[in-house]
């Protein structure tokens, strides 16, 4: 099959959707398909240092970057539009990532014009918390093109069953598939020595590390986490909150302000974004991982922590919370300060439970969230859509190891 993925940006700062689109494409290429990605060179206020308008081969995937243009918030790129018009007829299927962006308008239009089936992956944008943000602007885009995209898509691709149910009131009862995202487990095959991250920061000596790993972003519940941490310290004075991840839309300064207001400066460590071995080191050395998001379509960092043997505390707005509970790999809190603190303290109080949950988390990820099997699920869905013109209606794909 010739498969085209279209996404506004691939820079690491954009988190889950960019990472998912790239790794999804790599998994399909590994199965022998010709997979391409059209995207822009957008990297926040900067630009990626990449060739423009010509394919770059990465792990079997042809990536073509186009120049971002104003208005940047919309992912605008007229050169991308020209290329989509020319290239879409050459593909068997098109996979659109995210909503309300320039590439959705253009790729949706040309896919319909040239009768190429396309799938739309909302990446959580239909979650009620996110759906209501900038509602007037989104409503305009829905009238202009997004509603048409939805009604004419071969399928909507949901990452979790929870996402599918949350989206149902605004998805026109469109056909959908549920295929998760996952990890390349080879990335976790050669772990750094235990204690490598702690050794880098003397202030972490003899401390219990509570780790937040992700973008410093409005939806991540960082206000809840900072406010709850004072209660955590009362129960465990040896706790240290480590915030690892890139600043998103200058939100990091707001987080630092909350830390100062709560007089927690000596108890909170900002590391910035960590990748490669540094990322593995912090995930492995943490005593527990916490993500109290107001909205989280999947939470790739959650399964990264779990496969490193680190138990998690997640809010009931993180869409894989049911899986975390059913596998006894962590605890679930409400999006309330007291609830966040209560669940963190509960795990800190019980080293045996943390160890057991860590082991359960490793097993959960290895059985359900590895790209080899997920790639096969996507391949199967693509073939069915190409052959029949439609998806298996609201089919939840199993991804456990046979």
């Amino acid at each position: 099959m010739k498969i085209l993925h279209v996404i506004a940006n691939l820079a690491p700062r954009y988190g889950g959707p960019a990472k998912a689109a790239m790794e999804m494409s790599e998994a399909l290429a590994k199965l022998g398909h010709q997979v391409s990605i059209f995207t822009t060179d957008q990297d926040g206020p900067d630009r990626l240092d990449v060739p423009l308008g010509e394919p770059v081969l990465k792990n079997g995937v042809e990536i073509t970057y186009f120049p971002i243009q104003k208005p940047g918030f919309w992912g605008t790129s007229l050169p991308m539009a020209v290329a989509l018009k020319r290239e879409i007829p050459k593909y068997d299927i098109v996979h659109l990532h995210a909503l309300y962006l320039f590439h959705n308008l253009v790729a949706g239009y040309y896919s319909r014009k040239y009768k190429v089936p396309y799938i739309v992956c909302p990446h959580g944008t239909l979650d009620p918390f996110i759906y209501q943000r900038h509602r007037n602007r989104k409503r305009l885009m829905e009238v202009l093109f997004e509603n048409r995209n939805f009604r004419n898509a071969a399928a909507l691709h949901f990452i979790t069953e929870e996402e599918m149910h949350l989206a149902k009131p605004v998805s026109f009862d469109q056909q959908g598939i549920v295929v998760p995202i996952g990890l390349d487990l080879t990335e976790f095959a050669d772990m750094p020595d235990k204690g490598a991250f702690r050794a880098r920061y003397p202030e972490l000596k003899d401390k219990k590390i509570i780790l937040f790993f992700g973008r410093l972003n409005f939806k991540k519940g960082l206000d809840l986490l900072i406010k709850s941490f004072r209660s955590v310290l009362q129960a465990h004075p040896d706790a240290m909150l480590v915030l690892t991840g890139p600043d998103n839309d200058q939100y990091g300064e707001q987080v630092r302000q909350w830390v100062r207001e709560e007089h927690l400066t000596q108890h909170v460590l900002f590391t910035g974004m960590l990748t490669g071995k540094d990322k593995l080191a912090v995930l492995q050395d943490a005593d527990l991982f916490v993500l109290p998001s107001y909205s989280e379509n999947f939470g790739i960092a959650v399964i990264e922590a779990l496969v490193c043997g680190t138990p998690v505390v997640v809010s009931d707005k993180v869409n894989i919370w049911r899986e975390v509970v059913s596998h006894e790999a962590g605890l679930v809190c409400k999006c309330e300060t007291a609830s966040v603190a209560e669940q963190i303290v509960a795990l800190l109080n019980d080293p045996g439970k943390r160890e057991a949950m860590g082991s359960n988390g490793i097993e959960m990820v290895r059985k359900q969230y590895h790209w080899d099997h997920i790639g096969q699920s996507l391949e199967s869905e693509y073939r069915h859509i190409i052959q029949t013109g439609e998806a298996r209606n609201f089919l939840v794909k199993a991804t456990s190891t046979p």
Side-chain angles (χ1 to χ4, degrees), residues 48 126 224 262 277 288 303 308:
L48 294 174
L126 299 181
L224 301 173
E262 296 292 329
K277 291 292 186 182
L288 63 91
I303 61 172
C308 291

Side-chain angles (χ1 to χ4, degrees), residues 277-294:
K277 291 292 186 182
D278 293 333
K279 178 181 80 171
L280 299 181
V282 70
L283 289 169
Q284 179 175 245
D285 280 3
D287 291 277
L288 63 91
F289 167 99
V290 60
L291 183 62
S293 290
Y294 293 106

Side-chain angles (χ1 to χ4, degrees), residues 21-292:
M22 188 67 235
E23 294 184 353
M24 193 182 299
S25 298
E26 292 172 355
L28 290 161
K30 191 175 177 181
L31 292 171
H33 302 292
Q34 186 176 334
V35 187
S36 303
I37 299 177
F38 279 14
T39 188
T40 75
D41 63 345
Q42 186 177 29
D43 187 11
D46 303 316
R47 301 290 179 266
L48 294 174
D49 183 15
V50 292
L52 297 178
E54 59 185 69
V56 177
L57 192 64
K58 180 180 179 183
N59 296 333
V61 179
E62 279 194 351
I63 308 171
T64 306
Y65 296 90
F66 298 92
I68 190 72
Q69 298 172 325
K70 293 182 179 179
F73 74 86
W74 199 35
T76 310
S77 178
L78 294 179
M80 180 196 282
V82 172
L84 286 168
K85 178 181 180 181
R86 181 182 67 245
E87 298 297 325
I88 278 179
K90 302 176 183 178
Y91 287 89
D92 297 310
I93 193 164
V94 177
H95 203 142
L96 307 182
H97 295 268
L99 303 179
Y100 307 116
L101 293 166
F102 176 81
H103 70 273
N104 298 88
L105 166 64
V106 178
Y109 172 79
Y110 286 119
S111 294
R112 290 190 297 275
K113 180 175 181 178
Y114 297 118
K115 295 180 170 50
V116 177
Y118 65 94
I119 294 172
V120 178
C121 183
H123 286 288
T125 50
L126 299 181
D127 180 292
F129 180 80
I130 301 298
Y131 182 76
Q132 292 302 329
R133 284 179 57 83
H134 310 300
R135 183 90 291 271
N136 289 336
R137 186 172 77 192
K138 289 177 179 177
R139 185 176 291 111
L140 175 62
M141 294 182 188
E142 287 162 1
V143 171
L144 292 176
F145 64 90
E146 209 64 273
N147 288 347
R148 190 176 301 113
N149 277 355
F150 268 41
R151 290 190 175 103
N152 292 279
L156 304 184
H157 171 199
F158 299 109
I159 302 300
T160 64
E161 190 172 2
E162 187 88 353
E163 180 193 12
M164 180 182 69
H165 292 309
L166 289 171
K168 190 171 179 60
V170 293
S171 60
F172 302 103
D173 288 326
Q174 179 58 289
Q175 294 181 6
I177 56 176
V178 178
V179 181
I181 55 180
L183 298 178
D184 177 1
L185 295 182
T186 61
E187 180 185 348
F188 300 86
D190 183 21
M191 296 294 290
D193 293 337
K194 186 80 171 175
F197 176 76
R198 289 177 181 273
R200 207 169 306 151
Y201 297 93
E203 59 267 48
L204 294 177
K205 184 179 180 181
D206 299 325
K207 297 289 187 180
K208 292 186 176 71
I209 297 177
I210 314 303
L211 175 65
F212 169 89
F213 187 98
R215 291 175 296 150
L216 305 187
N217 176 275
F218 73 94
K219 74 172 187 175
K220 300 291 186 177
L222 286 160
D223 54 336
L224 301 173
L225 181 56
I226 300 302
K227 291 173 183 175
S228 69
F229 198 63
R230 180 155 296 284
S231 298
V232 173
L233 281 173
Q234 291 173 359
H236 290 273
D238 58 346
M240 189 83 171
L241 179 61
V242 175
L243 302 179
T244 293
D247 192 354
N248 189 236
D249 297 328
Q250 289 76 53
Y251 194 73
E253 181 49 42
Q254 174 64 77
V255 178
R256 287 175 171 83
Q257 180 62 33
W258 288 328
V259 170
R260 291 191 290 268
E261 290 173 356
E262 296 292 329
H263 306 289
L264 294 172
T265 304
Q266 302 303 314
H267 305 280
V268 179
L269 172 64
F270 290 84
T271 70
M273 185 174 178
L274 298 179
T275 60
K277 291 292 186 182
D278 293 333
K279 178 181 80 171
L280 299 181
V282 70
L283 289 169
Q284 179 175 245
D285 280 3
D287 291 277
L288 63 91
F289 167 99
V290 60
L291 183 62

